[in-house]
Amino acid sequence: MLRTLLVIASWDLIKLKNQKVFIAMRWAWFTVQILVFARAISYIVSHSVTQYTGGVDYYHFYILGVYTTLLYSASIARGYMIADEFDDGIVEYHLALPVKRNILAVGRVIGSSISTIIFTFPMMIIVYMVLGVRDILAILVSLVSALVFSMGVVSFVIMIVFTVKSTDLTDIIVGAIDALLVRLSTVFYPLPVIMATGIAPYYIAALANPISHMADFLRILLFPEYYLVVQHGLWASLVYLIGFSMGLLILAIEYYEKKLEAGGWR
Amino acid sequence: MRSKAVEIKNFTKKFGGFTAVDNLTLDIYEGEIFGLLGPNGSGKTTTLLTIATVYKPSGGDIYVFGHSVTREDYEVRKLVGIAFQDPKAMWIDKPIDLLKWHARVVGYSGEEAKRVVREVMELLGLWEHRNKQFYQLSGGTRKKVELAKVLIQKPRVAILDEPTAQVDVLSKHALWDVIKKLRDEGTTVILATNDMFEAERVCERIGIIYKGRLRALGTISELKDSIPSGDVIEVQYEASSLPGELLRELEVYGKVKHESNRITIYVEKGEEKVVDIVDLFKKRGVRIKKIMVKEPTLDDVFTYITGAKLRGEE
C-alpha cells in the first residue's frame, strides 16, 4: 500500500521536472522581492508599526509573510494543474488504475504537496539566509509544517475542482477565495495592527485564517518573541494547521470516493 | 464450455435524463477478441468505461471474472487495463515518463519498469519519440502511447477503445498483429471500433450497439447471414428524386434502404435480379449512374439492422 501511495505521489513530481524554466523564473522573482522590494516596504513601514510588533523588525515579519503567500499560491497552482488534468480527462485514467480510490486521493494530495515544497524550498533557503536562521530542527519543523499546510490547501482545491467540474469556474472561485484569504490574513499586517483598525470582522477573519496561522507559526518558531505580536501560541497554530489539513484531506478522500466514484464527476 | 471473462447483465447507464446505454446484456468469453461495433455516441465508450469502473451502472451490473463493478471495483481494476479513445496526457508530458509511471503503478519494480517500457516502446515504434513532449506527437503516436499502457500492464481483460483511430494504414496492420498477440498470451480483448474493416480483420465475435441498445451479436459470418436475402444490390442514380412507384416496385425484391441518390436492396441471388432492376429504372425514366451486386459487409449488416450508417452518424 505504501509503495502504491509513493508511486501515485510521484505523478506530480514528474510534472515538476518538466517545468524547469517556470520554476527558475519564480525563484528569480522571489529573490528580487526578498532582497529589494521587501527592504523598501520595510523601510516605509518599520517606524510606524514598531509599536505593534513589540520592536521586532518588520522586514522579518514581511518576508515570512511573503514566503507563506508563495507557499499558498504554489499549493493552489498544483490544484490548478489537477483541474487541467480534469479537463484533459486524466481523471478517467487515474480512476481506471488498479489502485484503491482513497490511496489515489491521498497520493495525489501528498504528491502535490511535496512538489510544492520542492518548488518553494530554494525560496525558503533564501528567506532563512536573510533571517540568519541556523537551527536545523527549526528548519525541519518549518518544512514539515509547510507540507501539512500545503496538503490542506491542495485538498481544498481538489474539492472545488470536483465540485464545480470546470477549469474556468475553478479559476474564478479560487481566484476570489485567494484574494480574500490573503488580504484577510496576517501575512503582511500584524494582528495588533488589524485590531487597531477597529473592524471586528477583519480581525476575526484574520484570526481564523489558515494562512495567518501558517505565517504566524513560522514567525513564532523562528523568533519566539513574535508571540507578543501574533497573540496565540506555537501549539495553537500547529494544532490549527493539522486540524485544517487533516479535515480537508478527509473531505478530499470523500470527494474522490463519492463524487468521482464511477462516473459521479460527469 | 468457455468461461466468461465479462458478464454484462441488464446494464443501463443514464446521465441525467439521457440514457446512454439501455438494458445491455451480453457475455464476453475468456481468450477472445470481442468487437463492440457502433457509430460515435452509440454507447460503446460508456460501456467500456463502466467495465473499467470509471463509471457506475445506473441499473444492472457488470461482472469481470465474477467480480461486480459496483461492489468489488478495486478487484475489477486489478484485472482490467484500458487504452482510452482520447489519449490521457498533458501537453508537457513525455511518453517515457508516463509509461514508466504507469509500469510502477501496475506493479513493476524500478528496473523491471525500465525494461518493460523499453520493450513495449520499441515494439510499437515509440522509442524514438520517448523524450518528446505530448504536443509534439502525431495523433497516431499518441494512440500508440495509450495502447502501450495496456501492453505494459498485460491485464486479464484489455479494453481498447478505437485503438487504431488516427493511425496510418501500415501501422494499423502492425497494431492488429500486436492485439492478436496480446490475446494469444492469454488476455481477453474488448475492442470498440466504428471501423468495419478492423472489426472483420481482428474480432472473433461482434456486438453491434446503436443508440445505447445491443442490436446484434455473433460471429462475423453469423452476422452476415442475419441479412436474410444474402446479396446486396447498390444503385446510384442521377435523378434528384425517385418516383414512388419505382420504390414500391423495388420493395418486391427485398428490403430497400434509400438515402440521397443511392438505393440499397437486400435480395436473394442478386446477379439474377440485377437485370430486372435495371429495367425498372429504365421504365421509370431514372438514369443509373452505377450499379453493383456484392456480398454483404459488416457495414451492410449494420445498415440493415439499424437503418443507419456506421460512420458519420452521431
Side-chain angles (χ1 to χ4, degrees):
Chain A
M1 195 175 84
L2 182 63
R3 181 195 169 279
T4 309
L5 187 68
L6 293 175
V7 174
I8 294 291
S10 70
W11 172 267
D12 291 279
L13 303 180
I14 293 168
K15 308 286 164 179
L16 199 63
K17 203 177 78 180
N18 295 335
Q19 295 176 299
K20 294 186 191 84
V21 175
F22 172 71
I23 292 168
M25 282 173 61
R26 287 296 297 265
W27 288 350
W29 276 115
F30 184 81
T31 308
V32 171
Q33 184 169 10
I34 292 301
L35 298 180
V36 181
F37 300 120
R39 286 189 189 282
I41 187 79
S42 302
Y43 184 78
I44 295 166
V45 301
S46 59
H47 298 293
S48 57
V49 298
T50 303
Q51 57 176 310
Y52 297 109
T53 60
V56 175
D57 189 348
Y58 180 74
Y59 179 64
H60 293 175
F61 183 95
Y62 178 82
I63 62 174
L64 282 169
V66 171
Y67 167 69
T68 304
T69 310
L70 181 84
L71 193 62
Y72 171 74
S73 60
S75 305
I76 290 280
R78 305 309 306 171
Y80 278 135
M81 188 158 275
I82 293 174
D84 282 343
E85 289 180 2
F86 183 89
D87 267 6
D88 288 350
I90 289 170
V91 67
E92 290 176 350
Y93 166 53
H94 286 168
L95 289 175
L97 289 169
V99 175
K100 286 183 176 171
R101 299 282 198 252
N102 52 7
I103 298 291
L104 181 63
V106 176
R108 290 310 308 277
V109 170
I110 291 176
S112 297
S113 307
I114 293 174
S115 297
T116 303
I117 298 306
I118 292 172
F119 175 67
T120 55
F121 185 70
M123 288 87 143
M124 192 191 85
I125 294 300
I126 293 166
V127 168
Y128 287 4
M129 281 170 64
V130 169
L131 292 175
V133 174
R134 299 281 183 274
D135 184 347
I136 298 296
L137 183 64
I139 292 172
L140 286 177
V141 171
S142 66
L143 265 178
V144 173
S145 63
L147 183 71
V148 170
F149 172 72
S150 177
M151 283 170 64
V153 177
V154 172
S155 300
F156 173 67
V157 185
I158 284 177
M159 286 166 53
I160 292 177
V161 169
F162 295 154
T163 302
V164 302
K165 299 166 187 168
S166 149
T167 310
D168 292 340
L169 206 50
T170 299
D171 281 353
I172 294 167
I173 292 172
V174 173
I177 293 171
D178 186 81
L180 276 174
L181 273 182
V182 172
R183 279 158 188 78
L184 299 177
S185 74
T186 60
V187 287
F188 300 130
Y189 316 111
L191 204 56
V193 174
I194 294 171
M195 196 193 286
T197 62
I199 306 167
Y202 181 18
Y203 174 75
I204 293 164
L207 202 58
N209 193 325
I211 302 179
S212 298
H213 281 275
M214 184 66 227
D216 292 343
F217 177 81
L218 293 177
R219 286 165 182 148
I220 308 168
L221 178 73
L222 302 174
F223 302 99
E225 62 271 30
Y226 269 73
Y227 176 70
L228 293 170
V229 180
V230 299
Q231 297 186 345
H232 43 78
L234 188 72
W235 290 106
S237 282
L238 187 63
V239 168
Y240 179 97
L241 286 174
I242 292 171
F244 162 76
S245 294
M246 292 306 111
L248 288 173
L249 177 62
I250 289 164
L251 284 173
I253 294 170
E254 185 75 4
Y255 266 64
Y256 250 98
E257 291 192 330
K258 296 290 186 302
K259 282 265 181 188
L260 287 187
E261 177 66 42
W265 53 276
R266 269 267 161 101
Chain B
M1 193 176 150
R2 297 168 81 183
S3 61
K4 291 172 188 173
V6 178
E7 199 176 352
I8 302 175
K9 280 187 175 173
N10 306 111
F11 164 58
T12 297
K13 180 65 190 173
K14 293 181 178 179
F15 295 104
F18 172 69
T19 303
V21 181
D22 188 10
N23 202 30
L24 179 68
T25 295
L26 71 92
D27 296 331
I28 296 163
Y29 298 108
E30 187 172 9
E32 73 173 338
I33 301 180
F34 182 84
L36 207 50
L37 193 66
N40 297 334
S42 59
K44 299 190 303 288
T45 297
T46 301
T47 303
L48 299 184
L49 290 181
T50 310
I51 297 171
T53 78
V54 176
Y55 291 160
K56 186 176 182 178
S58 309
D61 207 344
I62 297 176
Y63 301 88
V64 178
F65 287 106
H67 297 287
S68 156
V69 298
T70 47
R71 294 187 306 278
E72 303 163 277
D73 60 301
Y74 175 52
E75 296 304 317
V76 170
R77 283 197 294 279
K78 287 196 279 188
L79 300 169
V80 173
I82 180 167
F84 289 90
Q85 187 178 349
D86 303 313
K88 304 300 183 192
M90 305 278 280
W91 66 275
I92 54 168
D93 291 334
K94 293 175 181 172
I96 187 92
D97 293 337
L98 275 180
L99 295 177
K100 274 188 190 166
W101 186 81
H102 185 82
R104 298 296 309 279
V105 172
V106 300
Y108 290 96
S109 68
E111 284 307 309
E112 283 175 334
K114 278 184 193 168
R115 180 188 52 76
V116 74
V117 166
R118 179 160 191 164
E119 273 174 21
V120 170
M121 290 188 92
E122 284 179 345
L123 176 72
L124 296 176
L126 287 171
W127 188 245
E128 62 185 293
H129 303 294
R130 64 190 180 280
N131 282 318
K132 288 181 183 168
Q133 289 185 311
F134 229 69
Y135 77 94
Q136 296 171 308
L137 304 178
S138 68
T141 307
R142 291 177 192 192
K143 295 289 284 188
K144 286 182 187 175
V145 174
E146 201 57 36
L147 181 62
K149 290 177 186 169
V150 171
L151 298 181
I152 288 166
Q153 190 173 348
K154 289 196 173 76
R156 286 187 73 187
V157 176
I159 297 171
L160 311 178
D161 196 354
E162 300 187 15
T164 61
Q166 296 178 297
V167 174
D168 63 84
V169 178
L170 275 178
S171 297
K172 264 187 188 188
H173 284 265
L175 291 186
W176 290 336
D177 289 341
V178 166
I179 292 167
K180 285 177 184 171
K181 188 165 174 274
L182 184 68
R183 185 272 318 272
D184 293 342
E185 289 170 356
T187 296
T188 304
V189 178
I190 308 172
L191 187 145
T193 183
N194 56 21
D195 180 341
M196 57 172 181
F197 185 67
E198 177 169 89
E200 289 207 52
R201 184 72 191 245
V202 182
C203 303
E204 287 142 6
R205 284 197 314 137
I206 284 171
I208 291 180
I209 188 167
Y210 182 62
K211 292 189 174 172
R213 304 193 73 168
L214 186 70
R215 307 299 172 127
L217 178 68
T219 62
I220 289 158
S221 58
E222 283 169 352
L223 290 175
K224 286 180 177 174
D225 288 346
S226 70
I227 296 182
S229 310
D231 284 338
V232 178
I233 297 178
E234 206 171 271
V235 186
Q236 284 182 42
Y237 57 89
E238 290 189 343
S240 55
S241 64
L242 212 58
E245 297 86 350
L246 177 57
L247 269 177
R248 280 191 289 279
E249 286 164 349
L250 290 173
E251 278 166 358
V252 172
Y253 294 94
K255 192 169 177 179
V256 174
K257 299 274 180 200
H258 185 206
E259 53 172 344
S260 60
N261 66 338
R262 189 167 62 177
I263 200 154
T264 308
I265 312 148
Y266 300 91
V267 298
E268 276 179 36
K269 296 178 182 169
E271 66 281 3
E272 292 176 12
K273 307 286 174 17
V274 70
V275 178
D276 296 344
I277 287 170
V278 169
D279 286 344
L280 279 176
F281 271 79
K282 271 186 185 166
K283 194 174 90 183
R284 295 292 172 190
V286 179
R287 284 191 61 176
I288 291 174
K289 196 172 167 185
K290 189 176 170 187
I291 185 164
M292 58 180 167
V293 183
K294 56 178 192 174
E295 294 265 309
T297 62
L298 267 183
D299 205 19
D300 294 315
V301 173
F302 186 83
T303 307
Y304 180 82
I305 291 168
T306 66
K309 297 299 287 180
L310 257 179
R311 288 181 181 275
E313 180 164 327
E314 295 297 321

